[in-house]
Amino acid sequence: MGLDDRDALRVLYAAFRKGPACDEMIRRFYSRWFALDVSLRDKFPPDMAGQRAAFAHALNWVYGELVAQRAEEPVQFLAQLGKDHRKYGVTEAHYETLREALYATLRSDLADEWSDAVDEAARQSLNLITGVMSGAADADDGPAWWDGTVIEHLRVSRDLAVVRLQLDRPLHYHPGQYVNVSIPQCPRRWRYLTPAIPPDESGAIEFHVRAVTGGLVSTAIVGETRPGDRWRLSSPHGGLQVDRDGGDVLMVAGSTGLAPMRSIIMDLARWADNPRVHVFFGGRYPCELYDLPTLWQIAAQNPWLSVSPVSEYTADPPWASEYPDVTPPRGLHVRQTGRLPEVVTKYGSWSDRQILICGGPDMVQATKKALIAKGAPPERIQHDPLCS
């Protein structure tokens, strides 16, 4: 039965469930893959921990969708990955060795659960994964990457920065999509960032970045990036969007998860008639609601937009005085205190809305779970697949 056999697919799905067993399996897969083609090792960073985690997470999501018999989103996601991987110089031969190494690793690790049905599901699913990626890469005749120069770096909070670049050529993307970024401070380490403005024909682009504990790239962007640095960007990913004919909208943004929402809102502002959009924008401290001034300005000119700032703590820490004041004018956007999932669901299920959530994976999952518990239809909730 292959891809129609949910029980067999569940065995493969469980193999990529987060935990020590999965970590070890992914480690063995990469060792096997590099043994098949030693030239591959130079395409990856010295520290493989982040790469292994991202690979396992992506496959866990893909197999979860296949178990649910939802093929459309995984195919789109894999096609985008295939196009994006051209920036590494990945060839069809690399996909063949990947399929061979991953099949052998799964068969070895799942020996006690391996059966003819699991074998057929593994073969068909791996053919799908590598075939879609390889086919999409071959079919894409656009640039494999875009280079650009940092023209402005603004430290807006202790661990938050706004970075503006001028690309050598325009990058076309849909507002809400994200790209993979490489910076000179961390060669061969790529990080997903979301443009905070709609695509610009002049090649201007802006990113909002928060330094993540242990994150070499994000820490370097916030603390070490300077005007003149040359960045490299991949082709765009993701399908986060608003259907202007699909009813009113709820957006939930945690910290720099505001970036895709901001891009979509700016794009909507081109139109006179839009669905109502309500944004909950959250941070740990009031001072970390770094882009409220932009939201005030847009809302002041567009009555379809309303904004609810949310902070986990009532007062700012002492270091806040070193950064721009984002306190709203009196009576505008009254700030609430609490965690985003609780504050958002305090107002009900929002079941009649298109719902977009973006931020850290824990926040995204907690908010999604809370909304579904309140009665929001899961099919109306959008978020980055990598936060699944």
Side-chain angles (χ1 to χ4, degrees):
M1 294 177 64
L3 295 178
D4 295 324
D5 190 335
R6 290 191 177 191
D7 290 335
L9 288 169
R10 284 190 184 95
V11 174
L12 300 171
Y13 172 54
F16 295 102
R17 186 176 297 131
K18 186 176 181 180
C22 176
D23 294 344
E24 285 303 311
M25 183 185 75
I26 297 299
R27 190 186 302 275
R28 284 190 288 272
F29 154 69
Y30 274 106
S31 296
R32 183 176 268 119
W33 193 25
F34 295 156
L36 288 173
D37 185 348
V38 293
S39 68
L40 279 165
R41 188 63 186 88
D42 290 337
K43 298 183 183 297
F44 293 88
D47 179 5
M48 288 288 293
Q51 172 66 30
R52 289 193 295 264
F55 183 75
H57 190 65
L59 284 177
N60 179 262
W61 178 79
V62 168
Y63 274 105
E65 294 293 290
L66 293 179
V67 168
Q69 298 293 284
R70 295 190 295 260
E72 183 176 352
E73 282 195 38
V75 167
Q76 292 175 352
F77 175 70
L78 291 167
Q80 288 179 333
L81 277 183
K83 294 175 184 178
D84 176 62
H85 277 53
R86 293 182 306 142
K87 68 180 183 289
Y88 299 121
V90 175
T91 66
E92 185 176 351
H94 294 138
Y95 286 112
E96 287 297 318
T97 55
L98 182 149
R99 181 178 54 79
E100 180 182 343
L102 191 50
Y103 172 80
T105 305
L106 284 167
R107 182 162 187 166
S108 173
D109 275 55
L110 299 176
D112 294 340
E113 301 173 82
W114 204 259
S115 65
D116 290 344
V118 173
D119 186 89
E120 184 64 19
R123 290 181 184 276
Q124 290 193 19
S125 60
L126 293 177
N127 285 341
L128 173 71
I129 290 167
T130 57
V132 169
M133 292 179 70
S134 177
D138 287 342
D140 192 344
D141 56 4
W145 60 76
W146 284 257
D147 290 330
T149 303
V150 174
I151 58 173
E152 193 169 15
H153 178 275
L154 304 174
R155 192 75 172 263
V156 295
S157 187
R158 184 171 59 173
D159 57 359
L160 293 167
V162 171
V163 185
R164 299 187 176 112
L165 294 93
Q166 180 63 47
L167 300 180
D168 297 348
R169 54 189 167 190
L171 170 61
H172 299 289
Y173 55 89
H174 298 295
Q177 288 192 300
Y178 54 93
V179 297
N180 222 353
V181 174
S182 175
I183 65 172
Q185 290 85 356
C186 302
R188 290 187 292 160
R189 297 180 186 273
W190 293 77
R191 188 182 190 277
Y192 287 117
L193 298 178
T194 304
I197 59 174
D200 182 270
E201 288 300 324
S202 73
I205 197 166
E206 176 178 316
F207 296 106
H208 299 174
V209 185
R210 180 174 180 174
V212 178
T213 301
L216 294 178
V217 177
S218 63
T219 300
I221 291 174
V222 172
E224 300 173 26
T225 292
R226 297 291 181 268
D229 285 356
R230 295 283 288 172
W231 285 19
R232 176 161 290 181
L233 281 59
S234 76
S235 56
H237 299 255
L240 201 67
Q241 61 183 321
V242 165
D243 179 357
R244 292 183 59 247
D245 298 317
D248 292 340
V249 181
L250 168 68
M251 295 181 173
V252 184
S255 187
T256 53
L258 179 67
M261 312 301 191
R262 182 185 193 266
S263 180
I264 292 171
I265 289 168
M266 287 182 167
D267 188 61
L268 288 173
R270 298 183 301 123
W271 308 89
D273 185 24
N274 282 310
R276 291 182 300 162
V277 177
H278 192 101
V279 181
F280 285 90
F281 175 32
R284 292 169 299 182
Y285 302 102
C287 65
E288 291 186 328
L289 302 174
Y290 64 96
D291 208 38
L292 273 181
T294 301
L295 296 179
W296 308 333
Q297 293 167 10
I298 299 174
Q301 301 297 323
N302 296 274
W304 47 265
L305 177 64
S306 56
V307 181
S308 293
V310 180
S311 65
E312 294 183 22
Y313 300 98
T314 303
D316 282 331
W319 51 259
S321 60
E322 301 175 22
Y323 300 98
D325 182 10
V326 295
T327 306
R330 177 178 288 275
L332 183 63
H333 305 322
V334 176
R335 181 174 52 81
Q336 302 177 65
T337 304
R339 301 179 68 84
L340 271 172
E342 288 76 24
V343 173
V344 171
T345 54
K346 181 171 65 176
Y347 296 93
S349 69
W350 303 87
S351 59
D352 60 336
R353 303 290 181 111
Q354 302 178 66
I355 301 173
L356 285 67
I357 312 172
C358 193
D362 291 343
M363 184 283 288
V364 170
Q365 285 305 305
T367 304
K368 180 179 180 180
K369 183 177 180 180
L371 285 165
I372 292 173
K374 280 283 189 174
E379 63 272 15
R380 290 184 67 83
I381 299 176
Q382 300 179 52
H383 58 81
D384 171 6
L386 297 179
C387 287
S388 298

